[in-house]
Each structure stands twice: as C-alpha cells, then as structure tokens.
Amino acid sequence: MSTPQQSGETTTVIQQAVNEDTDKRDFAGFLKRQLQQSLAFGTLVILVIFFAIASPNFFTFSNIATVLLSTAVIGILALGTTFVIITGGIDLSLGTGMALCAVMTGVFITNMGLPVWVGILGGIATGVLMGLVNGLNVTFLRLPPFIATLAMMMIAGGLALVISGVAPIYFSTSAPDFKKIALGVIIPGIPNAVLITAVLAIIAAIVLSKTLLGRYTFAIGSNEEAARLSGVDTRRWTIFIYMFAGAFTGIAGVIIASRLDSAQPQIGTGYELQAIAAVIIGGTSLLGGRGSILGTVIGALIMSVLVNGLRILSIQTEWQNVVVGVVVLLAVFLDSLRNRQRT
C-alpha cells in the first residue's frame, strides 16, 4: 500500500511528464509555424528572382513601389480577415465592402462637403457597421459565415453602385490633398500607404498576440464550445472580431480611394480572393485556431508580386485570373494537408 509521500511523488512525476509532453508539442508547433513562414518567404524570394530574370522592368524602383502600393490594399484587407479566418469563419464581402467604404468616403467629403477627417472616419465606420451586421448574422441568426458574408458582398456591391449613381466620385476639387494619404511621402521613396500598412500590421500583431481579443480569436477557432463552457461570451467576441476586421476593410477603402483620387464603385471585385489567398498562403488555417500576422504579410507580398509580375510579362488578364485561381487552389490544398497531419 502506497504512503501519502509516495502518492505525492507519483503525482509530481506524472505532472512533470505531462508538462514535458505539452512543452514538446508546443515546441513542435512552433517549429512547424516557423517552417511554414520560411517556406512562404522562400516562395516570395523565388518569385522575385524569376520575374527579375524574366523582365528587366520588374526589379526597378518604380515597379517595386507599385508592388508595395498594391500590397498595401491587399495587405490591409488580409490583416483584418486573418482574425476572422482564425475563428474558423470567412469573409467574402471584403472587396465590395472596400468599394462601398470608398464610395461613402467620397459621399461624405465631396457630396456633403464634410471635412476630410470626418469623411475618413465615416468610411471606416461603414466597414465597422458591415462587420457588425456580419457578426450578428453569424452569431444570432446562426447563418454560416460563407452565406452571411456572401449576402453582404452582394448588398455592399449593390449599395456602392446605387449610392454613387454608377459613376466615380472624384476628390480633386473637393479635397485636392486627399491623394496624399496614400501617395504622399513622409519617408523619401516610401509612399504613405506602405507606412500605414506597416503600422497596421504591427497593431494587428500586438492585438492578436497580446490582447483578450486575440486570445479569444484563437480560442473560438480552436474549439468554440470549449471556449463557451470556459466562460467566454463567444457570441459577443465573434461580433467584435468581425467589427475589428470591418475596420480594416474601411481603412482599405480610404487608401484605395486616395490612391486613385476617386471612389470607384466597381473597384473591389476580386480583392477578396487575393486577400483570403494571402492569409492562407501565410499559414492561417481555414479550419481555424492557427495563424499569424507575419505570415499574412508575406502572403500578401506573394500575391502582389505574382500579379505584378504577370502584368510585366504582358500576360493577358484572363490568364492572370487563371494563375491566381490555381494559386488559391494550391493554398487551400496545402492547408488541407496541414490539417490532416494535425489530426
């Protein structure tokens, strides 16, 4: 018969074994995440080298600036939807939502004559409102995220056309300095849009790794029912996550409107696919529970370099869409393989 001392020693040994096993699994998971990001970064380097060899016009300062500018829009959208995808959700309303936010910014500044900063806040608030509606539809109406955001994609696209009168809204007269938000230069050679994207990436990384919102994002994506039983109000936090992502959609709308110096109601088509592909390429799982901001940034750069390189090589737009579609397919397939290995 074991003594209390022996029983305590046995418990300690078991606990140490459990802790060691957990540490090993955590370390293995860390190594896998690092490997995935390394592979993504390696893919980016290979693409850059390939296009630089294929065309002397690719690796020029002006073209690199163009790549970074296009990455700004895709990257901002991808940063927001990273949170949604980590929860196991999806947001198909990114592109048309961005267009609607750009249109509302134009309406506030040009049509209503409001101060530029009010118009910017109005555009971002439009994105937050769309995120709120998406979150409510997913949590309280129990709609699948795919259906809820598909409906929002159609609604936002229609509203952008209706509100704008199917015509661009220009800022050149009402706000001549509006384009400086994206195209202005604080640091020589680096457009402001790139700096804004970098700052937003840092903020998103801090939120994801250091705050309750980030912690609950992973918890909901890993096991929503377990998170709920642990006392987490999963409905409320899911709504907050969609609203947070909506704010990034609104910012992307302001940036693209500033870059074009106009609000184009049809500009957002296809951006949602590139943003989602960037997130998945960066290692975020479509099943939820895993992802990183650094991976998303690398994925966004890959998508921008790929599209820009195809244009530099004068590949027809139709074939560009085919290539991007194949990349999305490969990204989802690789994510499926990673999930099979986990199970």
Side-chain angles (χ1 to χ4, degrees):
M1 187 172 181
S2 63
T3 64
Q5 182 178 0
Q6 291 175 329
S7 176
E9 290 176 352
T10 302
T11 302
T12 301
V13 170
I14 293 174
Q15 185 62 48
Q16 287 176 348
V18 170
N19 290 339
E20 288 176 1
D21 181 63
T22 301
D23 291 341
K24 289 178 181 178
R25 283 188 278 117
D26 290 343
F27 183 68
F30 173 76
L31 288 180
K32 285 183 178 180
R33 289 193 296 271
Q34 294 301 111
L35 178 60
Q36 289 165 9
Q37 291 180 5
S38 298
L39 290 174
F41 183 73
T43 302
L44 175 61
V45 172
I46 291 172
L47 283 175
V48 170
I49 293 174
F50 172 78
F51 288 122
I53 294 174
S55 174
N57 297 323
F58 178 81
F59 211 71
T60 61
F61 182 81
S62 60
N63 189 61
I64 295 301
T66 300
V67 170
L68 292 176
L69 274 176
S70 60
T71 303
V73 175
I74 296 172
I76 292 172
L77 290 174
L79 289 173
T81 200
T82 298
F83 287 79
V84 173
I85 294 178
I86 289 176
T87 66
I90 197 75
D91 190 352
L92 299 178
S93 63
L94 295 173
T96 57
M98 177 185 71
L100 178 59
C101 293
V103 166
M104 292 307 300
T105 302
V107 167
F108 291 134
I109 295 175
T110 300
N111 296 3
M112 296 184 178
L114 297 175
V116 172
W117 67 271
V118 175
I120 292 173
L121 290 179
I124 297 173
T126 301
V128 173
L129 179 61
M130 286 190 298
L132 172 62
V133 174
N134 283 335
L136 290 172
N137 287 335
V138 169
T139 55
F140 286 94
L141 296 186
R142 295 294 183 182
L143 296 179
F146 181 90
I147 300 301
T149 58
L150 177 64
M152 179 57 70
M153 178 181 75
M154 300 173 69
I155 292 169
L159 287 176
L161 293 171
V162 170
I163 294 172
S164 65
V166 201
I169 302 175
Y170 295 97
F171 298 94
S172 54
T173 302
S174 58
D177 291 334
F178 183 72
K179 61 183 179 182
K180 291 183 179 179
I181 295 174
L183 302 178
V185 175
I186 296 176
I187 299 177
I190 302 178
N192 289 341
V194 177
L195 294 179
I196 293 171
T197 305
V199 171
L200 290 175
I202 293 172
I203 293 173
I206 292 173
V207 171
L208 188 60
S209 61
K210 302 295 183 181
T211 68
L212 275 179
L213 181 66
R215 208 167 299 136
Y216 290 157
T217 297
F218 282 109
I220 293 171
S222 298
N223 192 324
E224 183 176 357
E225 182 62 18
R228 186 184 65 81
L229 293 175
S230 299
V232 178
D233 189 343
T234 56
R235 285 187 176 185
R236 184 181 68 176
W237 284 103
T238 299
I239 292 172
F240 285 162
I241 290 165
Y242 275 93
M243 290 174 67
F244 186 72
F248 281 82
T249 301
I251 295 171
V254 173
I255 294 298
I256 199 167
S258 174
R259 178 184 169 188
L260 300 174
D261 203 20
S262 62
Q264 304 281 344
Q266 296 175 316
I267 191 63
T269 305
Y271 275 85
E272 67 281 345
L273 296 180
Q274 293 187 41
I276 292 171
V279 175
I280 299 170
I281 290 170
T284 298
S285 174
L286 276 172
L287 295 182
R290 186 177 72 247
S292 72
I293 296 300
L294 177 59
T296 293
V297 171
I298 295 173
L301 285 169
I302 289 174
M303 294 303 299
S304 297
V305 168
L306 179 63
V307 172
N308 179 269
L310 293 174
R311 289 174 181 170
I312 289 289
L313 296 179
S314 300
I315 303 298
Q316 294 180 347
T317 304
E318 294 81 4
W319 284 106
Q320 292 179 28
N321 294 334
V322 171
V323 173
V324 172
V326 170
V327 169
V328 174
L329 184 64
L330 288 174
V332 175
F333 174 69
L334 291 174
D335 177 65
S336 176
L337 287 180
R338 290 195 298 261
N339 289 322
R340 290 176 196 170
Q341 291 174 355
R342 289 175 67 189
T343 57

